[in-house]
Each structure stands twice: as C-alpha cells, then as structure tokens.
Amino acid sequence: MSPRPGPQPDGPWTAFALWQDRLAAAFFGDDRRDTPVLFFIDNAELRALQGEAGAGELGTAVSSVLAWHGNPYAPVAERCLTWRRGKRENPPPCLPLLAAAVLAAANMQRTEGGPGAPAYYARLAEVLRPPWGGGQHRKPLQNHYDELVTLWGYLDEWLREQRGARGLSTIRANPVYRKIGYAQSQALVRASDHAALIRFFQASGLSPNQSADGGRLLARLKAWSTVNPKGLSQGLRRALESPAESHLLRPLLAALLEGWDGTTQGRIEGGLLQVPLSVVLESDFTVWDVRWHAEAVQGVDRDSLRHSGGTLELSSGAGDQAYALSGAIPDLVQALRHGFRARGARTAVRIESGRGILALREDPIAGGWTETDVLDVFEYYVFLFTRSGQSRLQRFLKDAGHRWYRPEDIPLPGWQATPELQFTDEAALAAAMSRAGIQNIRHIPGRRLSLRNGLRVKKEWHQRSLFLLGGEPDVMVPQEFRGPGLVTLDGQPLTVPADGLTSLRDRGLAAGRHVLAADGSETSFYLEQSAEPETRSPADSPSDVPSSTVAVPLDGDARFLTAQGRFLAMARPQEPAWWKERAPLLRGGGTTSVPAPPEAVWLVTISETGKCSVTLLRSQEPDFATLTKAAKEFWSLIVLFDLGRVPHAALWKRYREAALSQFPQRRFTHV
C-alpha cells in the first residue's frame, strides 16, 4: 500500500504533515519492496524533496511543532503514541524529525569537538531553531535526545511488521554512540552506494541474506574500496578512512548484507535502477560537440523519468548498450552547476552538483570522450573545467609532470577542455592526486589492468580500445593479481606469466567486446574484423555491404553519413606541396582511397567551389535519432541537394526529409 495523505491539519502541523507524506513516498513507498532502506538526507537531497512548492524548509517545519519550554520532542512523540494504537498502515508520524536528525549528522563539522556528540548537537541546533530565535536551545535538544532513540525504534518496528513490503530496515544500535549513532549511520551511506556494495558482496563471495560480522565486513570493504572506488560516494569513502566514523558502518553493512536479495544491480531512490548519465565530448576534427550518454540498464528497454523541467524519455532496442534520449532532456550547463534528478517507473537519474573539473576517457560505445572517475597510467584523457576549477587542475597537471597548454573552447558555456594527455609516471600521478583535492576523481596506484601494444583500428578516430581481429593487445597485470585464477578474460581464468605482460593473441577471440576482470575491476576492449576486398561491377546496384575502400578527392570536404543521420569524418592526406609550383594543373583533381566504415550509407563530398556530390554505398532506410549541433550544421549544407533521376534518388529524398524534421525552421539555400 502506498502512503496516503491523511486530513491535513491546520496551523504549524500543516508543513510537518506535508514533509511526512513526501518522505514516506520517497523512502517507504511500495517501490521499496524487499530493498534495504537507507534514510539518507543531506542538503542536496533536501532541495530535491522540497521541490518548488508546498512544504517549505524542513528545519522550519519541524521546529514550529516542537515544545521549546520543556521536552522539545514531546509533541511528535505523543502523535507517535496515538499512531501506535491505530492501524499503523503508514510509517510513524515522526519522519520529518528523524530526517532533521540525519541532516544534522550529514552537516557535521570536525572543527567543534571532533566527530562525536558535541559536534552533532551543534549541527542539530543549527537545523532546529525556535521560531523566536535565540541560541540557548541546544541543551534541551541534547538532554531529551533519548526520545529520538525511541522514535527510531518505532520506525524499525514498523518496517519489520511490513515484512519487506515497504523496505527492509537498516536501523541498528551502535555500541559506541548509543543515541546519535542511529542518525549518523544513516548519514554515511547513500542509496546510490548500494550498487557498489553489491559488487563488493559478490567479489567477496558473500551469500544473499546471510548474517555476517560487521567488523569483518568493514575490514574487507576498506581493502576492496582501494581497488574499486567507482560508485562509492565521497561520504562513504571518507567514512571508511576515518577511525572515528568507520565503526558506525559495522551494523549498517551487516544489515545491508542481510537484506541483499542476490540481484546483481543496485537500486537507488525508492528501489529504482540507476541510469548512468555522463557527459560526452565528441570531435569531428574541426569542432567539438557536447552531449549526454545514457548507459542502458539491463532489463529496461524504455522508461519515462519525471523531473522539475518535464519528462525525460529513455528508449533502446534489442542489444543496445545506450539509451536514445528524447523529451525534456536536461540542460548540460544547468545540470552540472545545480545537479539533476529524475525518477521513472523503474529507473532514476542523479547528477551531483558543483563539480568544476571532469575527467573524460575514450569510450567506443558512447562514441567520444566520456566521463570517468578513475585515472590510470597509459590511458588518454581530456579534462573539462570551469574557471573556478582551473587553478586546481593546473596545479594537478604540473605536479603530474604535464605542461599547461592553451585550452580549447567547447560548446558548453563556462567550460573549457584541455588537449588530450597521457600519464606515464605512476608515482608522480599518485602524488599529484593526493595533493589535488579533486573530489570526484581518484587514482588507484598499480592495481588496474592496462592494455599494451596491439594493432589499433582507425587510430586517427581516437578509438584506442578498438583493435584489429588478429592484432589483439597485451594486458599488463599488477603483481597482486598474478596468482592462478585471479584474472579472467570473458569470465574464464587467464594464465599470467611472472612478469605480468600477458598476450591475448592466438586465443580464438571473436569480433566484438571482451572483458578482462580482476578483483571486481574491469577493463574492456573491442575487436573488429578487417574488411575484405570486394569484387563488383561498376554497373551493379549498391549491396548491403559497402566496398572496403572508396575514392575521395584530396580537396574540399568529404564525409560518410550513417542511417542515424550522423556524419563520420575521414583522414585524408594533403595535396603534395610541389603541385603548386611544378604541376599547378593537377591541383584540385587528386583523389585518395579511404576505408569505408561498415555503418556508412552515403559518401558526401563538397568541393572547394561548393559543388556537391552524393554517392550511395549501401541501401538502408533512414533511422534518425536526435542530431548533434555539428551534424545539423553539416546537413544544412546538403539538405536541399537533389540527385535527379538516379535509381536511389528516392532514398536520398527520404534522408533529406528526416533531416529537415530536426530543424525548427526550414530555411536553407542551395549549395
């Protein structure tokens, strides 16, 4: 049963009741069935829950109903006693007060009495203030805090009564912080941490629903997280490194393991599956394009996600590894600056705010430079940064042994991009990262698998993890993973020699994606079948497979077009410099042979004089997704070009019509 708002009371309880309903729906709804509930509240979570109307500030809503001349928590406790005598269909009516307690724990500053009770009650007094102001209210909040221990007990009791229908309780007593430990433990682990913790459970060989010692789990998680930090929030990583906070995780980790149902995917925000939404920087060799990449979630082909600006639509076909985005797609600048959250029937998207530096690495699936939170040696990166992040990035790169080169402008207002760079000195990178203070990027010294050598395909297209079939790369395995069975290739154990450099050739690998794994960490690479020469009469009609090479002019513009309306740039040699002086009549007439990508449908050339030519490579109907800005600019040059009476003119016309549908105004001039 979903939470049902009861009659809304008048006076100060109105806002309190609104927050009760909002928190009950967000954390204890039907979609939480059989999922451990993490009652995590921080300022960002609070803004998302507050929305644009209705409830007002959480602290104000709670403070206005407290009894400030005695036990401040008494009015809420009395309502909970009445609730206990009723049907108890919905959570106890103390959720806003408990949320304020968790918010205080999330806001704790170590400058006042350390991470213990004095600092906690100071933050609680900041969250909860009497309506008339004044600073003498901290003592009552502290002296009567036993009341909140009782309220946490009511919530735990109710969740257990529901037998998992509204979530599994993670509320546990802490032997060190008997009172404030409840709120503190809930403030350490976000719901989004759950996916990474499931990977930890699997890598550790743990079984679903088993009981385990929290201390042993904590020790194993600390060791595992140094190699596999991806997915762990900054707060959880900080707690693992803090002796004063890490013990708070012991009962919580045990509760999460007991509540794990054996599924391989973690859930966030009300039991929903998290869709990674990442920034992608793509280049056509002349201009940059910035867009989103949404990694597909297994078992979810489509979903509609609601957010403050409308509804974001996700859709994917069979075998797709990414979603096509439509509807109210979030603005990149606003999402990076203020954060973004959207919830659907089965999935959710969440982007943290305030990041001034992003690290991007190449991803063949996304088709460009894509966000990453881990830096490795012998990989190429591009950094995006704002003005506020520039000085930190400059210091970091200098410490890592890189010069600062003039950054490039990108179509993302307020952001710039560095040229691509590679780290080769492990020690220098580790030292630079330790001093950098870049919160959303980490380095894992000497513990990740790295690809070496191999024959890369289309190197000029920046696809360094794409290799020619038969020219597979070698993998360098760190010392600690060189034992039997510690490294797998596509799930099968890989024998590693003493020096760690392992050849992947002559293993009968097929074209497509392959995954190397060690201790839960994965490295992917892709193999592509080389194109065989094709014998075909010039009079033959285009087949479904393009010829291996096509002739293109050395001058002007030449690009391949795909069925999705995207264009693929090609690398061509320059006209010889001596033509200008020794054979000027040859200028503008030279051609070269270039490989035709298997996804290419058309070859389009535009000469320096503006003459356009369109050649069909294979027959395929248009299947346009949303065009990038750069693609639209190119289509605007050719969308009115008519092929006349050639056999495939009708197909070209359908491509032109598909392109025209992407433009709000259809005003073009002939090339």
Side-chain angles (χ1 to χ4, degrees):
M1 178 181 294
S2 298
R4 294 196 308 267
Q8 296 300 313
D10 295 327
W13 288 99
T14 301
F16 189 94
L18 286 172
W19 271 107
Q20 173 75 18
D21 294 337
R22 218 163 266 194
L23 292 165
F27 291 95
F28 306 99
D30 291 338
D31 53 4
R32 288 284 188 170
R33 176 178 290 274
D34 297 328
T35 302
V37 177
L38 297 164
F39 198 18
F40 180 90
I41 294 287
D42 65 358
N43 290 318
E45 188 80 35
L46 208 59
R47 287 192 295 270
L49 287 170
Q50 183 175 347
E52 297 181 356
E57 295 286 344
L58 173 69
T60 302
V62 176
S63 297
S64 61
V65 303
L66 299 185
W68 291 104
H69 296 293
N71 175 0
Y73 312 115
V76 178
E78 290 170 3
R79 286 182 169 245
C80 287
L81 289 174
T82 302
W83 165 85
R84 295 194 81 206
R85 293 190 290 267
K87 296 181 178 180
R88 300 155 65 117
E89 293 179 344
N90 292 311
C94 57
L95 297 185
L97 176 55
L98 297 183
V102 177
L103 178 63
N107 289 347
M108 283 175 63
Q109 300 173 3
R110 291 157 182 79
T111 56
E112 185 172 340
Y120 174 76
Y121 290 117
R123 301 294 80 77
L124 183 63
E126 291 175 356
V127 174
L128 300 177
R129 292 178 176 274
W132 58 85
Q136 304 301 318
H137 60 291
R138 173 174 160 176
K139 282 296 183 182
L141 292 173
Q142 181 173 351
N143 293 340
H144 298 278
Y145 197 83
D146 279 328
E147 201 78 72
L148 264 73
V149 176
T150 301
L151 299 183
W152 282 112
Y154 291 166
L155 180 57
D156 176 60
E157 179 184 73
W158 177 79
L159 284 169
R160 296 179 187 279
E161 287 176 354
Q162 302 299 311
R163 300 183 181 277
R166 304 284 282 278
L168 302 174
S169 176
T170 61
I171 300 168
R172 298 289 189 277
N174 185 274
V176 178
Y177 294 131
R178 187 184 64 82
K179 296 181 181 180
I180 66 176
Y182 293 99
Q184 284 188 310
S185 64
Q186 296 293 315
L188 295 178
V189 180
R190 294 173 179 265
S192 57
D193 287 315
H194 200 195
L197 291 175
I198 285 178
R199 294 200 304 272
F200 159 65
F201 294 154
Q202 292 176 310
S204 302
L206 298 169
S207 302
N209 307 120
Q210 78 174 73
S211 299
D213 177 76
R216 291 183 179 179
L217 283 177
L218 177 61
R220 295 170 76 172
L221 179 59
K222 286 181 179 179
W224 182 86
S225 66
T226 61
V227 183
N228 304 275
K230 187 173 183 180
L232 296 178
S233 66
Q234 179 188 355
L236 178 52
R237 294 200 300 261
R238 185 188 64 220
L240 288 170
E241 297 167 358
S242 168
E245 290 186 338
S246 60
H247 67 84
L248 290 164
L249 292 168
R250 294 176 184 175
L252 186 57
L253 290 173
L256 289 171
L257 178 59
E258 290 173 10
W260 178 38
D261 61 1
T263 57
T264 59
Q265 289 181 302
R267 298 176 181 270
I268 65 169
E269 299 192 50
L272 303 178
L273 295 168
Q274 183 176 17
V275 174
L277 190 62
S278 307
V279 174
V280 176
L281 188 66
E282 186 178 8
S283 170
D284 70 345
F285 297 96
T286 56
V287 297
W288 288 109
D289 180 48
V290 185
R291 55 180 171 83
W292 291 116
H293 170 70
E295 184 179 332
V297 173
Q298 185 177 0
V300 181
D301 295 332
R302 59 186 64 248
D303 202 359
S304 299
L305 285 71
R306 298 171 301 281
H307 58 91
S308 60
T311 301
L312 172 64
E313 301 289 345
L314 306 179
S315 62
S316 65
D320 287 352
Q321 298 184 58
Y323 290 115
L325 304 180
S326 59
I329 300 174
D331 178 77
L332 278 153
V333 175
Q334 293 300 314
L336 292 175
R337 181 180 301 161
H338 302 295
F340 174 78
R341 298 185 186 187
R343 295 165 56 89
R346 302 180 65 187
T347 62
V349 168
R350 138 178 230 159
I351 298 172
E352 298 300 327
S353 62
R355 294 175 297 167
I357 300 173
L358 300 179
L360 283 68
R361 72 189 301 172
E362 293 168 326
D363 184 345
I365 301 301
W369 298 91
T370 307
E371 275 185 79
T372 179
D373 60 356
V374 176
L375 299 181
D376 295 327
V377 291
F378 304 111
E379 295 287 348
Y380 284 86
Y381 296 92
V382 165
F383 289 90
L384 304 188
F385 60 92
T386 62
R387 180 176 296 180
S388 63
Q390 179 172 340
S391 59
R392 278 185 297 149
L393 181 59
Q394 283 182 282
R395 288 194 302 270
F396 163 64
L397 293 181
K398 180 180 179 181
D399 290 345
H402 282 276
R403 293 178 57 189
W404 180 257
Y405 293 96
R406 181 177 179 180
E408 300 181 46
D409 292 326
I410 58 174
L412 192 64
W415 291 77
Q416 289 183 299
T418 67
E420 64 181 76
L421 52 88
Q422 182 187 51
F423 302 101
T424 57
D425 188 329
E426 181 95 56
L429 175 59
M433 282 302 304
S434 67
R435 294 191 295 266
I438 304 175
Q439 297 178 353
N440 54 300
I441 305 172
R442 297 191 78 190
H443 167 58
I444 307 171
R447 291 180 175 267
R448 288 181 64 86
L449 306 175
S450 60
L451 300 176
R452 312 284 175 85
N453 309 318
L455 297 176
R456 288 184 166 91
V457 178
K458 305 170 187 171
K459 191 171 182 179
E460 70 277 7
W461 287 6
H462 305 290
Q463 295 184 358
R464 297 185 180 89
S465 60
L466 185 62
F467 295 85
L468 188 68
L469 188 65
E472 291 83 355
D474 302 326
V475 57
M476 174 55 75
V477 179
Q479 179 69 45
E480 55 265 47
F481 300 141
R482 294 176 188 174
L486 296 181
V487 179
T488 61
L489 173 61
D490 298 330
Q492 299 301 314
L494 187 67
T495 301
V496 180
D499 64 358
L501 190 63
T502 309
S503 173
L504 302 181
R505 290 181 291 282
D506 302 322
R507 296 177 181 270
L509 299 180
R513 181 173 184 256
H514 297 275
V515 179
L516 290 156
D519 195 32
S521 175
E522 293 185 352
T523 297
S524 299
F525 65 94
Y526 303 78
L527 297 178
E528 182 176 287
Q529 178 72 56
S530 61
E532 298 294 335
E534 182 180 12
T535 302
R536 189 181 67 178
S537 168
D540 291 343
S541 60
S543 68
D544 288 337
V545 180
S547 60
S548 58
T549 61
V550 293
V552 298
L554 293 176
D555 70 328
D557 193 353
R559 313 188 193 196
F560 296 111
L561 289 177
T562 70
Q564 291 73 38
R566 296 181 59 199
F567 64 82
L568 305 174
M570 62 186 72
R572 296 175 293 165
Q574 298 293 320
E575 288 187 343
W578 56 266
W579 283 15
K580 182 176 181 180
E581 296 180 358
R582 302 182 185 181
L585 293 179
L586 294 178
R587 296 196 68 214
T591 63
T592 185
S593 294
V594 300
E599 64 269 33
V601 178
W602 303 93
L603 169 65
V604 178
T605 62
I606 304 175
S607 70
E608 291 183 345
T609 61
K611 183 179 179 181
C612 184
S613 173
V614 178
T615 304
L616 182 64
L617 302 178
R618 64 187 177 95
S619 181
Q620 183 174 345
E621 290 297 316
D623 183 22
F624 278 35
T626 302
L627 294 181
T628 65
K629 180 181 178 182
K632 287 182 179 180
E633 290 175 352
F634 184 69
W635 269 105
S636 68
L637 300 176
I638 62 175
V639 74
L640 296 181
F641 181 73
D642 192 342
L643 288 181
R645 297 186 178 182
V646 299
H648 47 273
L651 178 61
W652 175 245
K653 183 179 179 180
R654 291 194 288 276
Y655 271 77
R656 292 164 52 203
E657 291 172 347
L660 282 168
S661 68
Q662 299 275 331
F663 292 88
Q665 296 179 342
R666 300 184 179 184
R667 298 175 182 173
F668 302 97
T669 57
H670 282 283
V671 176

